[in-house]
Amino acid sequence: MTSPEHPTAERVCFQLQVDPTRLDEYRDRHAAVWPEMLRAIEASGRRNYSLFLRADGLLIGYYETDDDAASQRALEADPRTAAWEADMAPFFIALDGTRPDQGAPRLPEVFNLEAQLAALDADAAR
């Protein structure tokens, strides 16, 4: 699904489970993410990136990118990300040894207000 600012953008939502005994530490780490990791994410083409954490450790992430597969490859190849990913991996439950940015299940988008409004407006213009 695209966004109005970036008509070719992919909107990506994913889910992970943070160890409930480590939530405070997880929040603290994300209050000041390493500058080199922030730059690596930016260089990968991800933007409008947010994480949401529920009290039981359910983590929902969202970002936009022009090409998610290329963004994934860029982060995997970027030497700045390996240390952060290794440092953060123990916070997650059930990743089976995969990196959090690679192993997070994607959630399919089932509703997008802007897309439906655009379709409605297009129909009205006919």
Side-chain angles (χ1 to χ4, degrees):
M1 193 65 56
T2 62
S3 73
E5 303 84 30
H6 298 275
T8 62
E10 292 180 50
R11 297 160 46 110
V12 179
C13 183
F14 61 90
Q15 171 184 327
L16 289 166
Q17 181 65 43
V18 176
D19 179 346
T21 66
R22 301 189 72 184
L23 296 178
D24 288 339
E25 186 181 1
Y26 185 85
R27 283 187 199 94
D28 289 347
R29 299 271 184 105
H30 282 82
V33 172
W34 302 345
E36 61 271 19
M37 187 62 201
L38 297 174
R39 294 298 182 197
I41 293 169
E42 178 183 47
S44 78
R46 290 182 180 179
R47 59 189 171 272
N48 199 20
Y49 197 150
S50 296
L51 297 174
F52 303 88
L53 184 62
R54 201 164 68 181
D56 65 357
L58 176 68
L59 179 78
I60 300 295
Y62 172 86
Y63 60 87
E64 296 169 3
T65 183
D66 293 328
D67 183 340
D68 193 36
S71 174
Q72 290 278 38
R73 287 190 303 274
L75 286 171
E76 186 174 11
D78 193 317
R80 297 174 292 184
T81 66
W84 175 264
E85 293 292 337
D87 199 50
M88 295 309 298
F91 285 89
F92 299 104
I93 296 172
L95 275 181
D96 300 327
T98 59
R99 290 172 46 169
D101 69 330
Q102 304 293 320
R106 300 302 199 257
L107 302 175
E109 185 174 32
V110 297
F111 171 76
N112 180 288
L113 176 63
E114 288 78 16
Q116 289 196 24
L117 286 172
L120 188 65
D121 291 344
D123 286 346
R126 289 185 198 161

